[in-house]
């Protein structure tokens, strides 16, 4: 494919030249993803700023409701992980028929899987917030926001999966354009409807939720039009191959499980924060948002780019180059996001002041922003390596790395340090750092030692996608 080195001139290049070539290609793939994620995180940041103008209870309500809203997100990301793995590999091998069927099946599965969340939102949203031990005003805000968001769960699934499928083909621009437009509409809607500007009704938390719901539906419809139309390489077909469906579920299941474990652990984790205080819970939402706004778009860009590059090289039958690219992408993340994270830690107080003027909330938020900043080098390398493994259809190792780290350090250590030993917010911050360190060590070991390239080759052979080159 264009822009890649041939086997002959790879051997003539120095290590520096090879790494530079990888970085240039990855940045070309990743910048649209980064732009898209920047506007996505901006949207969530604006939501927190708008609700922060209301009260700390409103911020906490959005944070708690988002715990449940992450459930459809996890399924969408899981099926999207399967879609990008098969899409990138089959694009590399030239097996466009199996690629398009994988895309179609993943989108259909996502739409159907969103229906139970619609029912959950309408029937159980108030109970869902109440069982977390929230105060009455937090329950009121959170329940109505959750019901609105869950109503568009099928659309959220479809938008994530369709975007990942297009990215697997190497088209990262189309999902960017659609998502940037949707996210800017979301931001505008949150501000106008949440605060009642320009003659619009002041709907507060309801307005924030409605803006997000409309954006979800727009994104899903627009991306499906892009895939179905004649403008891009991918397309929808009539699904007929059960092998592709089974492989999609096989690759996606650990990703879904990983997300579900992460979401499940957030419930007792947020209860730990509420044991400390409502301000501590609001501070955690702010501190994490500071990190996500500045560093998360780059990290996610590297994650997706790693899946694309590694998957396509495996599809071409070049596992050695796939492995080298994975390590090089991790190095790029360390050189960029790692530095940004340290700067965020240094200037945490300045960034936090944008979100809240409540002294106690701000003090705790600075602690959380600092720990996320110093953890950024660990997190970005983990994310890049996990993306490489995903491109190879190996999603079990990242699942084990993340699930074990969340349970041992993020939850158990945080509870012991914060509640049993009385260190409060500082104890929770230490648990967050140790979780990222653990996850990185496990996933790096798996990338170095496991036979993920062989697994990808066997799966491609099974579905008839092996390159003839």
């Amino acid at each position: 494919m264009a822009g890649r080195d041939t086997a002959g001139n790879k051997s003539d290049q120095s290590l520096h030249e090879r790494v530079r070539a990888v970085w240039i290609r990855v940045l070309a793939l990743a910048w649209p993803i980064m732009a898209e994620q920047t506007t996505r995180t901006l949207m969530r940041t604006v939501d927190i700023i708008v609700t922060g103008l209301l009260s700390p209870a409103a911020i906490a309500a959005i944070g708690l409701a988002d715990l449940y809203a992450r459930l459809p997100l996890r399924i969408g990301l899981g099926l999207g992980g399967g879609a990008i793995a098969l899409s990138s590999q089959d694009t590399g091998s030239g097996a466009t028929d199996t690629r398009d069927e994988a895309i179609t099946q993943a989108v259909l599965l996502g739409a159907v899987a969103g229906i139970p969340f619609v029912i959950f939102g309408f029937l159980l949203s108030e109970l869902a917030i109440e069982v977390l031990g929230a105060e009455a005003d937090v329950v009121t805000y959170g329940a109505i926001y959750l019901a609105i968001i869950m109503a568009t769960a099928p659309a959220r699934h479809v938008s994530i999966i369709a975007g990942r499928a297009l990215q697997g083909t190497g088209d990262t621009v189309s999902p960017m354009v659609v998502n940037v437009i949707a996210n800017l509409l979301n931001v505008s809607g949150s501000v106008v409807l949440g605060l009642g500007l320009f003659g619009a009704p002041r709907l507060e938390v309801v307005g924030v939720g409605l803006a997000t719901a409309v954006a979800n539906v727009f994104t899903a419809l627009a991306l499906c039009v892009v895939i179905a139309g004649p403008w891009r390489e991918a397309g929808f077909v009539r699904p007929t191959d059960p092998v592709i469906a089974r492989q999609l579920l096989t690759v996606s299941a650990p990703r879904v499980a990983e997300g579900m474990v992460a979401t499940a652990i957030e419930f007792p984790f947020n209860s730990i924060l509420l044991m400390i205080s409502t301000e501590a819970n609001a501070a955690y939402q702010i501190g994490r948002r500071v990190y996500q706004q500045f560093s998360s778009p780059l990290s996610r860009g590297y994650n997706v780019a790693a899946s694309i590059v590694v998957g396509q090289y495996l599809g071409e039958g070049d596992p050695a180059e796939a492995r080298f690219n994975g390590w090089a992408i991790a190095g790029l993340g360390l050189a960029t996001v790692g530095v940004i994270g340290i700067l965020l830690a240094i200037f945490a107080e300045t960034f936090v002041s944008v979100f809240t003027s409540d002294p106690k909330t701000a003090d705790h938020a600075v602690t959380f922003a600092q720990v996320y900043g110093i953890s950024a080098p660990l997190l970005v390398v983990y994310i890049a390596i996990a993306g490489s493994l995903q491109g190879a259809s190996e999603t079990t190792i990242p699942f084990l790395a993340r699930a074990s780290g969340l349970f041992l350090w993020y939850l158990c250590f945080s509870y012991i340090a914060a509640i049993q030993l009385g260190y409060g917010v500082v104890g929770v911050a230490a648990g967050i750092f140790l979780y990222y360190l653990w996850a990185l060590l496990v996933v790096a070991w798996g990338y170095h030692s496991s036979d993920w390239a062989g697994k990808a080759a066997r799966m491609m052979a099974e579905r008839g996608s092996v390159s003839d080159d």
Side-chain angles (χ1 to χ4, degrees):
M1 291 189 178
R4 300 196 194 173
D5 298 314
T6 63
N9 64 30
K10 284 177 195 171
S11 61
D12 297 330
Q13 289 181 314
S14 67
L15 177 62
H16 171 77
E17 290 172 330
R18 289 186 68 194
V19 170
R20 181 175 178 273
V22 174
W23 286 12
I24 290 173
R25 183 187 177 202
V26 166
L27 289 173
L29 285 170
W31 77 260
I33 303 166
M34 295 172 181
E36 168 193 332
Q37 290 298 324
T38 297
T39 59
R40 181 74 188 179
T41 53
L42 173 63
M43 179 265 295
R44 302 304 299 134
T45 300
V46 169
D47 286 353
I48 291 180
I49 292 175
V50 170
T51 53
L53 294 174
L54 304 175
S55 67
I59 298 178
I62 295 293
L64 294 177
D66 276 344
L67 294 177
Y68 294 98
R70 289 175 198 166
L71 294 171
L73 172 65
R74 302 307 186 187
I75 291 179
L77 289 173
L79 289 169
I84 198 172
L86 272 63
S87 176
S88 62
Q89 292 167 16
D90 290 354
T91 296
S93 67
T96 57
D97 290 342
T98 56
R99 179 199 63 203
D100 290 350
E101 178 154 357
I103 292 172
T104 304
Q105 292 194 24
V107 169
L108 290 174
L109 284 170
V112 172
I115 296 174
F117 294 108
V118 178
I119 300 171
F120 173 87
F122 278 112
L123 298 180
L124 300 172
S125 59
E126 184 173 349
L127 177 62
I129 303 298
E130 189 175 2
V131 297
L132 297 177
E135 298 172 356
D137 50 352
V138 175
V139 172
T140 300
Y141 282 130
I144 192 167
Y145 177 84
L146 179 59
I148 294 170
I149 297 301
M150 286 297 194
T152 59
R156 183 68 175 132
H157 282 177
V158 169
S159 64
I160 294 171
I161 295 164
R164 290 291 189 269
L166 282 169
Q167 289 165 350
T169 69
D171 177 13
T172 56
V173 174
S174 297
M176 175 200 69
V177 172
V178 171
N179 279 288
V180 166
I181 293 172
N183 292 336
L184 292 178
L185 289 173
N186 197 333
V187 167
S188 301
S190 292
V191 173
V192 172
L193 296 177
L195 301 178
L197 303 181
F198 307 112
R202 183 184 172 93
L203 300 179
E204 299 186 345
V205 171
V206 174
V208 173
L210 286 174
T212 301
V214 170
N216 287 343
V217 174
F218 169 83
T219 307
L221 292 176
L223 286 174
C224 285
V225 168
V226 171
I227 294 175
W231 314 284
R232 291 296 180 264
E233 186 177 347
F236 290 127
V237 298
R238 181 180 178 182
T240 59
D241 191 343
V243 172
I244 294 175
R246 177 169 55 78
Q247 289 195 0
L248 262 177
L249 294 174
T250 298
V251 176
S252 300
R255 284 280 287 144
V256 173
E258 174 187 337
M260 290 299 184
V261 169
T263 299
I265 284 180
E266 285 285 354
F267 291 101
F269 180 78
N270 274 266
S271 294
I272 292 171
L273 293 170
L274 290 170
M275 289 179 192
I276 300 172
S277 66
T278 297
E279 290 81 5
N281 188 281
Y284 171 75
Q285 314 302 332
I286 293 171
R288 185 170 63 174
R289 181 56 49 188
V290 168
Y291 165 79
Q292 289 178 335
Q293 182 59 56
F294 293 97
S295 300
S296 183
L298 277 73
S299 299
R300 292 179 184 178
Y302 297 142
N303 174 269
V304 175
S307 293
I308 297 169
V309 171
V310 170
Q312 290 188 358
Y313 272 120
L314 291 172
E316 293 177 358
D318 195 347
E321 191 64 18
R323 184 179 295 274
F324 177 83
N325 274 250
W327 287 122
I329 295 168
L332 176 60
L334 187 62
T336 52
V337 176
V339 174
I340 292 172
I342 299 303
L343 292 175
L344 288 177
I346 294 173
F347 298 104
E349 187 172 350
T350 300
F351 292 117
V352 165
S353 66
V354 175
F355 293 86
T356 183
S357 58
D358 180 73
K360 190 173 182 180
T361 301
D363 183 58
H364 292 330
V366 168
T367 300
F368 284 120
Q370 288 174 335
V371 76
Y372 273 107
I374 63 176
S375 300
L378 308 175
L379 180 56
V380 69
V381 175
Y382 162 78
I383 288 175
I385 295 174
S388 296
L389 289 169
Q390 176 177 265
S393 301
E394 176 52 79
T395 50
T396 301
I397 292 171
F399 161 68
L400 294 175
R402 191 175 183 193
S404 60
L406 283 168
F407 179 75
L408 292 173
W409 304 105
Y410 190 79
L411 180 63
C412 294
F413 180 91
S414 292
Y415 174 76
I416 293 170
I419 306 302
Q420 296 296 315
L421 300 181
Y423 285 100
V425 166
V426 174
V428 174
I432 292 171
F433 177 83
L434 291 172
Y435 153 55
Y436 288 130
L437 176 61
W438 172 271
L440 169 60
L441 293 175
V442 174
V443 83
W445 170 84
Y447 188 74
H448 177 267
S449 304
S450 67
D451 184 28
W452 46 266
K455 176 179 181 179
R458 290 187 293 272
M459 292 182 70
M460 285 188 288
E462 184 182 23
R463 66 178 185 270
S465 303
V466 177
S467 173
D468 295 329
D469 297 339

